[in-house]
Amino acid sequence: MNIYILNNSFRYVRFGLLLIGLFLSTMVLAQTSPIKGKVADESGAGLPGATIRIKGKTGATASDANGNFAIQAVSNDVLIVNLIGFTAQEVPINGRPQLSIQLKPSVKELGEVVVVGYGTQLKKDLTGSVSIVNTKELKKTSASDIGQLLQGRTAGIAVTNDGQPGASPTIRIRGLASFNNQQPLYVVDGIMLSNTPRDFSPNDIESMQVLKDGTAAAIYGAAAANGVIIITTRQGKKNSPLSIEYNTYFGADKIWQKIPVVDRAGYQLLNNESQLNGGQTMAPANDPASPKYIGNIDTDWQKEGLKTGYRMNHNLNFSGGGENSTFNVSLDYFKQGGTFVGNGPDYNRYTGRINTTQSKGIFKFGQSLSYTHSKENSLTFRGDVLTGGRPPLINDLVIAIPTQLVYDPTMPNGYGGTQSDRERAISLNVPAVNSMFTNFTEVDRIFGVAWAEAQLLNLNGHSLKYKVNAGYDKTIARDFAFQPTFDLGFFFKQTVNRLDDNSRTYTNALVDNTLTYDKKFDKHTFNAVLGVSYNKNTALVRSGHAEQLDPNYLVLGNGSNKTVDGSLTPYAFFGLFGRLNYNYDDKYLLTANFRRDGSSRFGYGYKYGNFPGISAGWRISKEAFIHLPKWITELKLRGGYGQLGNANIGDFRYLALLNPNIVYNFNGTKVTGGAQTNVIDPNIHWETKTTSNIGIDATFFDGAIDLTAEYYNNKATDALIGEPIPASVGSNDTAPLTNAASIRNTGIEINIGYHNNKGAFTYNVSGNLSTVKNTLLALSSGETSRIVGGFVNTVGHEIGRHYGRVVEGVFQNADEIKNHAFQNAFTAPGDLKFKDISGPDGKPDGVINDLDRADLGSSLPKVYYGLNFTAGYKGFDFTLFLSGAAGNLINGSLYRTLMHTTDYLNYHEDALNRWTPANPNNEYPRLAANDPNQNGIESDRKNWLQKGDYLRINTISLGYTIPKLKVKWLQSIRVYATAQNVYTFQYYKGYNPDFAQTRPFEPGYDPGSFPTPRTLMMGLQARF
């Protein structure tokens, strides 16, 4: 019995030991261990930044600067390796502690997903004109506005800038096509913006596409006539651990250009000569014989008024995701301190963003919420205070006379000024104005997007999805301007202080509902989208004014002479849209778009417009019967036709306005009545832009070279234009809008790139070039030509050509004057000689007048281009970016003012070469007060029109990613130095040859753009 019990006991012990052994062995099998490896390209060079995650699990890491990685995994796990530009790989561990993973480059990423209107497409399937912007390269530069980063980056986009911090650029896609708002439509995370994206951080951008033709943009219909820029913000990735990124830079800004003006001696010499030649007397301050003569002041206003500015950016980003959700959270701070002495201009912006997605079964959800607070101290200018039609303050700074002090303790405010009985000059002390005045705009903007998607059908190859996308964009702006009492000398005095405290609230609400159907059978692939969109905007503007305030308590209620005003303007549009994509055998591609839009900006019977688009593509390289050379990897021919609408004209322009407070007298009795105050065209309707283009997309040598080339022909018809009417009509609007004009733009666009990603030394070279030929096809009814300032707009020619008199030289003596056509009774040797071109009968008549004006050249650039070079070697990276334009002439207000003959302003050094009896040159005329010969009139005299051709070195950047980091929680760290706006090769004697063009009839006129500074930056990028 005892033996039996003992045997049974041993049996249980053996069974227990077996269970323990099995359990321990299972634990050993399932135990994770460190798996190390290297991710490399086909040549064996390490690839940094590759994502390595465990299939079906949450573990993930990234390769370092040399491609090395380490991850905790089980011996039978499978690793998934991803890197942009390379084909993803699944790598079984199979018990190996060390892995060597080689990635193959994708062929120009033909499988790249491109965001288009209300959906996505593979890049290889695109048939419309869509440019994909390299956002990685964008982030190597610093800018306050996303739009500024597009300059020179892709063909067909012209970006012109003002150098002020916070200034928004002017963007034109494929030429000047409207006399109204020409800015493109921005779509952020599926929501059409009603204003610019300046309040968003460039660090939040994941991708950016530009839709340039009607076939690509027709699905946005009414809003897309000027092109569409689609921006998608960063999202987290599923099955990824928390990733933390910190990016920062600090830079110094310096105005590197200096306008060459004369010093005190030069100013007094030239001004005295001008006054005496014009029969005037010398100003006492310039007369050595006067007790008021100034000989000890020689102010360099550009030195005194400009300073070194700075800029900085801090960005913190958190991202990651699980099996069913993702998140991306970012915090951003940008500050740019200006280069002008005083309160501005400068710009501060705080941005926070949260993007999340969730999925459960057939449902997907997503949210995007951002908040921005910004404050811009703009360069102070008040037309109601600085009267007399003052130029921009940068011009006032440069033209200020050198015999004027910056600081003068004898003056009430401590700043120098001029006197009418001493200098006689109306010369503004700009640093004083910019230091004493307060002028800022504070903006709070909330931008939110929420979407939900349901997979309604997924059966037998049929897929049907429903998606609702709702967006809300609210901007609240406060415009604050305070002018204190001041005495800055002659013409610039105010004994009453003034406060303007205004607010603007813009609300944009949008809801899109879409159904997306996908079906693939045999060689046929279908994709169809149907949708409905509703958008409502309101603009609420309030203004308040008060005077005689206590400077220590600046609120409107603390003043007198108070006035208030306000307006509320609603705007809404409604759209139905659809798109069909068809692909046969991955060879033949067809896309058809249609949108019907209604806008509240047009009257009854004209609110709705239809905007179709169709395009097709042929992937020639897929044809078996076409035997292309082996070096042609991909070749696609595509073309399209489409129509777009434009309603960017302001609100209620089709309605007449009434003044209800008109007093009438009937038989001695006063009666209050009303009267219409403006003439309108009640039948105004959509501008229509018809686009057609044909192009090729190609890659060569297995993706080493890629090429896109296309020709476009865009025609805007029924373009809304102001039709001038006589002032005697009594309308407040002397040019009511009507659909009458027509504009055509044609050109070619080329994008080409070469990529060498093999070996330790890698590099990429990409370039783009675009041409624009603009033709004005029609003006308002019966009008064949319109002259605006020094520009003529003639049917059959391009918009805004320079217009004026033709200069044949300079009169050297009285005999030349006598033997030439009559110009003026006071014409004298040293005056310009104008060509006698025409008279009342169309022939030269011996008299110089306005009939002798001629076309003097183009004000629109004909060519835009950009070149980008990047290279990498063992952790080092280098970038060089150039851009430019050519083919236009510029009318620069600043230069012309400095070459004046009549005022008490400073002079350009070119004036030292003016005609005198001792210097009988044939280029620059004499100086004579009151300009009796009209030498300053619109003409082609030397430098009156200057070549706008330029080549700018935009960016030079050198970075280094530190290898073999031994800190486990720090994945990578990169340091870099960048020089921005390094140098501009230009003929233009002003600051910016690419000044912001905002006048459609005068595109070549530069009223005085603020100089763009040169920036030297140091930065750090770290990933945790």
Side-chain angles (χ1 to χ4, degrees):
M1 181 69 178
N2 292 332
I3 295 174
Y4 175 78
I5 294 175
L6 185 61
N7 288 333
N8 281 337
S9 298
F10 279 118
R11 186 183 301 124
Y12 290 132
V13 169
R14 288 196 301 268
F15 181 71
L17 291 174
L18 177 62
L19 288 177
I20 293 172
L22 289 172
F23 177 73
L24 290 175
S25 64
T26 302
M27 287 186 63
V28 170
L29 287 173
Q31 186 176 6
T32 62
S33 60
I35 306 298
K36 297 182 179 179
K38 181 177 182 178
V39 182
D41 62 15
E42 292 178 311
S43 67
L47 293 174
T51 300
I52 301 97
R53 63 184 180 87
I54 303 172
K55 186 175 182 179
K57 298 182 180 180
T58 59
T61 187
S63 59
D64 63 16
N66 297 313
N68 298 315
F69 70 91
I71 189 170
Q72 291 288 331
V74 179
S75 61
N76 60 350
D77 278 340
V78 176
L79 301 183
I80 298 177
V81 185
N82 288 279
L83 181 62
I84 295 175
F86 293 84
T87 303
Q89 273 197 44
E90 291 191 6
V91 181
I93 296 177
N94 292 333
R96 294 173 293 172
Q98 187 77 29
L99 300 175
S100 180
I101 302 171
Q102 189 177 76
L103 297 183
K104 295 181 178 180
S106 59
V107 181
K108 189 45 188 166
E109 299 183 39
L110 291 177
E112 179 181 355
V113 176
V114 179
V115 179
V116 293
Y118 303 101
T120 59
Q121 280 185 271
L122 293 178
K123 184 177 179 180
K124 66 182 179 64
D125 294 336
L126 290 175
T127 55
S129 184
V130 180
S131 288
I132 303 170
V133 181
N134 187 333
T135 56
K136 181 180 178 181
E137 291 301 311
L138 292 187
K139 295 175 185 179
K140 291 182 179 180
T141 59
S142 169
S144 60
D145 189 287
I146 291 172
Q148 295 172 358
L149 301 174
L150 289 171
Q151 187 175 40
R153 292 294 181 180
T154 188
I157 303 177
V159 181
T160 55
N161 291 292
D162 188 283
Q164 288 197 53
S168 294
T170 299
I171 298 177
R172 289 182 186 154
I173 297 177
R174 291 185 168 177
L176 194 162
S178 175
F179 295 112
N180 299 288
N181 188 334
Q182 302 167 46
Q183 292 290 81
L185 167 69
Y186 290 93
V187 178
V188 177
D189 290 338
I191 301 300
M192 293 186 284
L193 302 186
S194 59
N195 48 24
T196 70
R198 185 183 75 163
D199 301 310
F200 301 128
S201 168
N203 290 305
D204 288 335
I205 299 176
E206 179 69 30
S207 68
M208 185 184 298
Q209 289 82 30
V210 183
L211 312 185
K212 297 184 290 187
D213 70 339
T215 60
I219 200 164
Y220 287 111
N226 298 322
V228 182
I229 298 176
I230 299 178
I231 297 171
T232 304
T233 59
R234 297 178 64 179
Q235 301 286 342
K237 296 181 180 179
K238 287 187 175 182
N239 299 311
S240 298
L242 173 64
S243 175
I244 303 174
E245 297 177 23
Y246 174 65
N247 301 315
T248 185
Y249 62 75
F250 183 87
D253 291 350
K254 186 75 174 178
I255 303 300
W256 60 275
Q257 297 160 299
K258 185 174 183 181
I259 305 299
V261 296
V262 299
D263 59 8
R264 176 193 61 80
Y267 165 71
Q268 291 176 328
L269 169 69
L270 296 174
N271 196 261
N272 289 343
E273 182 180 307
S274 174
Q275 299 306 311
L276 295 175
N277 284 344
Q280 308 295 317
T281 62
M282 293 183 287
N286 298 336
D287 183 1
S290 170
K292 296 183 179 181
Y293 175 72
I294 297 176
N296 60 345
I297 300 174
D298 194 356
T299 301
D300 183 340
W301 284 98
Q302 292 178 78
K303 180 179 179 181
E304 296 291 337
L306 299 175
K307 64 180 181 180
T308 299
Y310 65 94
R311 65 180 65 202
M312 69 172 70
N313 180 235
H314 298 278
N315 179 265
L316 188 60
N317 193 88
F318 306 85
S319 65
E323 185 176 350
N324 299 310
S325 64
T326 68
F327 65 90
N328 191 92
V329 181
S330 68
L331 300 171
D332 191 272
Y333 172 64
F334 175 82
K335 179 176 178 61
Q336 185 176 0
T339 53
F340 216 86
V341 171
N343 292 325
D346 58 40
Y347 180 68
N348 287 269
R349 182 184 64 221
Y350 301 84
T351 305
R353 175 179 292 274
I354 302 174
N355 290 354
T356 63
T357 65
Q358 304 84 36
S359 61
K360 179 71 173 179
I362 65 170
F363 298 103
K364 293 181 180 179
F365 308 90
Q367 305 85 30
S368 177
L369 179 64
S370 71
Y371 168 74
T372 300
H373 173 79
S374 67
K375 183 176 182 180
E376 178 186 0
N377 287 306
S378 58
L379 195 56
T380 304
F381 178 79
R382 292 196 54 165
D384 60 332
V385 176
L386 304 177
T387 57
R390 303 306 305 168
L393 285 187
I394 184 63
N395 287 24
D396 256 327
L397 177 74
V398 177
I399 66 178
I401 61 174
T403 55
Q404 176 184 354
L405 288 169
V406 181
Y407 304 101
D408 186 351
T410 67
M411 293 287 287
N413 300 107
Y415 291 100
T418 62
Q419 301 300 327
S420 60
D421 60 350
R422 188 176 64 196
E423 295 93 348
R424 297 182 186 169
I426 301 176
S427 179
L428 181 65
N429 188 330
V430 175
V433 169
N434 199 41
S435 299
M436 296 170 62
F437 289 19
T438 302
N439 189 28
F440 64 81
T441 296
E442 281 188 305
V443 175
D444 291 283
R445 185 172 185 176
I446 298 175
F447 180 80
V449 181
W451 59 269
E453 181 180 278
Q455 182 83 49
L456 302 180
L457 178 66
N458 190 11
L459 182 67
N460 297 327
H462 297 274
S463 172
L464 181 64
K465 297 178 181 179
Y466 166 73
K467 184 176 182 179
V468 58
N469 195 40
Y472 184 77
D473 183 8
K474 187 166 188 174
T475 302
I476 302 173
R478 180 192 184 196
D479 303 306
F480 183 94
F482 174 67
Q483 166 253 302
T485 59
F486 63 88
D487 183 352
L488 295 177
F490 180 35
F491 201 75
F492 300 113
K493 296 180 183 180
Q494 289 290 339
T495 58
V496 175
N497 64 26
R498 296 174 175 85
L499 173 65
D500 289 275
D501 198 350
N502 309 326
S503 69
R504 295 171 287 129
T505 302
Y506 303 104
T507 304
N508 174 29
L510 181 144
V511 177
D512 292 328
N513 290 271
T514 57
L515 282 172
T516 302
Y517 172 76
D518 290 283
K519 171 63 177 176
K520 184 174 183 179
F521 63 94
D522 296 331
K523 297 180 179 181
H524 305 275
T525 302
F526 292 91
N527 167 265
V529 177
L530 291 175
V532 57
S533 177
Y534 177 73
N535 187 201
K536 182 178 181 180
N537 295 269
T538 57
L540 174 62
V541 179
R542 298 186 180 100
S543 62
H545 176 85
E547 300 176 355
Q548 298 178 329
L549 302 97
D550 179 352
N552 297 312
Y553 188 50
L554 295 178
V555 294
L556 293 171
N558 189 35
S560 60
N561 298 330
K562 292 175 280 190
T563 59
V564 295
D565 199 0
S567 65
L568 175 63
T569 307
Y571 166 60
F573 74 81
F574 174 78
L576 300 170
F577 56 87
R579 179 179 58 229
L580 173 66
N581 291 320
Y582 172 69
N583 181 329
Y584 176 74
D585 198 22
D586 220 19
K587 298 177 186 177
Y588 311 112
L589 312 169
L590 178 69
T591 298
N593 293 293
F594 180 80
R595 181 157 181 148
R596 178 173 173 81
D597 267 329
S599 172
S600 64
R601 286 178 172 159
F602 301 112
Y604 297 104
Y606 302 99
K607 291 186 180 297
Y608 286 89
N610 300 318
F611 308 103
I614 187 167
S615 59
W618 178 26
R619 296 184 67 191
I620 301 172
S621 54
K622 289 290 185 178
E623 292 288 5
F625 68 88
I626 297 179
H627 302 288
L628 296 174
K630 291 184 178 181
W631 52 269
I632 300 179
T633 310
E634 172 74 19
L635 180 62
K636 179 173 66 178
L637 176 68
R638 55 180 171 80
Y641 171 92
Q643 290 187 326
L644 304 167
N646 190 3
N648 294 322
I649 59 169
D651 297 293
F652 305 116
R653 299 295 295 271
Y654 65 92
L655 292 177
L657 302 178
L658 296 177
N659 182 345
N661 298 310
I662 303 296
V663 178
Y664 297 90
N665 190 315
F666 292 99
N667 298 323
T669 302
K670 293 182 178 180
V671 178
T672 301
Q676 182 175 330
T677 59
N678 66 321
V679 174
I680 54 98
D681 177 1
N683 301 318
I684 59 174
H685 51 273
W686 298 94
E687 291 183 356
T688 301
K689 181 178 178 182
T690 302
T691 75
S692 57
N693 64 279
I694 184 169
I696 61 168
D697 299 323
T699 61
F700 310 108
F701 302 105
D702 293 326
I705 299 175
D706 55 78
L707 170 69
T708 296
E710 58 189 300
Y711 168 81
Y712 66 89
N713 188 328
N714 299 340
K715 181 180 179 182
T717 55
D718 288 338
L720 288 155
I721 186 173
E723 183 163 358
I725 58 176
S728 58
V729 173
S731 173
N732 289 337
D733 186 354
T734 58
L737 278 181
T738 187
N739 294 92
S742 181
I743 307 166
R744 184 188 301 277
N745 290 283
T746 60
I748 61 171
E749 297 174 354
I750 299 173
N751 288 279
I752 188 169
Y754 176 75
H755 317 282
N756 177 20
N757 294 318
K758 298 178 180 179
F761 177 69
T762 62
Y763 61 93
N764 292 271
V765 183
S766 61
N768 65 81
L769 181 143
S770 59
T771 67
V772 181
K773 181 182 179 182
N774 174 273
T775 307
L776 179 61
L777 302 178
L779 277 166
S780 58
S781 178
E783 190 179 18
T784 59
S785 183
R786 180 178 296 189
I787 298 171
V788 180
F791 299 84
V792 63
N793 300 268
T794 304
V795 173
H797 300 271
E798 71 181 16
I799 293 173
R801 291 186 68 84
H802 296 285
Y803 191 62
R805 296 180 184 176
V806 177
V807 174
E808 296 184 304
V810 175
F811 290 118
Q812 300 298 323
N813 52 58
D815 286 340
E816 288 188 8
I817 298 173
K818 182 179 179 181
N819 295 324
H820 190 266
F822 177 77
Q823 295 189 175
N824 191 289
F826 301 100
T827 301
D831 283 329
L832 293 176
K833 183 192 303 182
F834 299 115
K835 185 176 181 179
D836 186 8
I837 295 174
S838 185
D841 60 356
K843 299 179 181 179
D845 61 351
V847 177
I848 303 299
N849 53 30
D850 282 349
L851 296 175
D852 296 296
R853 291 178 293 178
D855 186 320
L856 302 178
S858 173
S859 62
L860 296 174
K862 303 298 179 293
V863 178
Y864 298 91
Y865 56 89
L867 178 67
N868 195 60
F869 173 79
T870 61
Y873 179 73
K874 293 186 177 180
F876 286 96
D877 60 87
F878 175 78
T879 297
L880 173 65
F881 174 50
L882 314 173
S883 68
N888 63 308
L889 298 172
I890 300 174
N891 174 342
S893 174
L894 177 57
Y895 180 82
R896 291 192 179 191
T897 303
L898 289 169
M899 294 295 288
H900 68 96
T901 63
T902 187
D903 294 315
Y904 296 91
L905 305 171
N906 206 2
Y907 297 87
H908 195 281
E909 285 184 352
D910 285 353
L912 294 172
N913 197 32
R914 80 283 181 207
W915 186 96
T916 66
N919 181 40
N921 78 80
N922 203 39
E923 294 181 328
Y924 297 103
R926 70 185 180 120
L927 301 180
N930 298 320
D931 194 16
N933 189 60
Q934 294 185 302
N935 292 326
I937 203 169
E938 300 292 343
S939 72
D940 65 349
R941 61 176 276 191
K942 185 176 178 62
N943 291 328
W944 237 227
L945 298 175
Q946 301 169 23
K947 289 181 66 174
D949 302 10
Y950 74 93
L951 169 63
R952 175 174 294 123
I953 303 175
N954 288 288
T955 307
I956 300 176
S957 182
L958 179 64
Y960 180 65
T961 301
I962 300 174
K964 297 182 180 180
L965 294 171
K966 296 182 178 180
V967 182
K968 292 184 178 180
W969 48 266
L970 183 59
Q971 292 187 16
S972 66
I973 185 167
R974 174 179 177 265
V975 294
Y976 65 93
T978 297
Q980 189 170 303
N981 190 33
V982 181
Y983 188 80
T984 303
F985 300 92
Q986 64 185 68
Y987 300 94
Y988 184 47
K989 291 177 176 286
Y991 285 114
N992 302 321
D994 57 336
F995 60 92
Q997 297 177 347
T998 58
R999 306 184 183 198
F1001 289 106
E1002 306 170 89
Y1005 177 66
D1006 178 11
S1009 59
F1010 193 83
T1012 302
R1014 176 184 293 147
T1015 303
L1016 301 178
M1017 298 189 305
M1018 294 291 294
L1020 171 73
Q1021 298 173 337
R1023 180 188 295 178
F1024 306 93

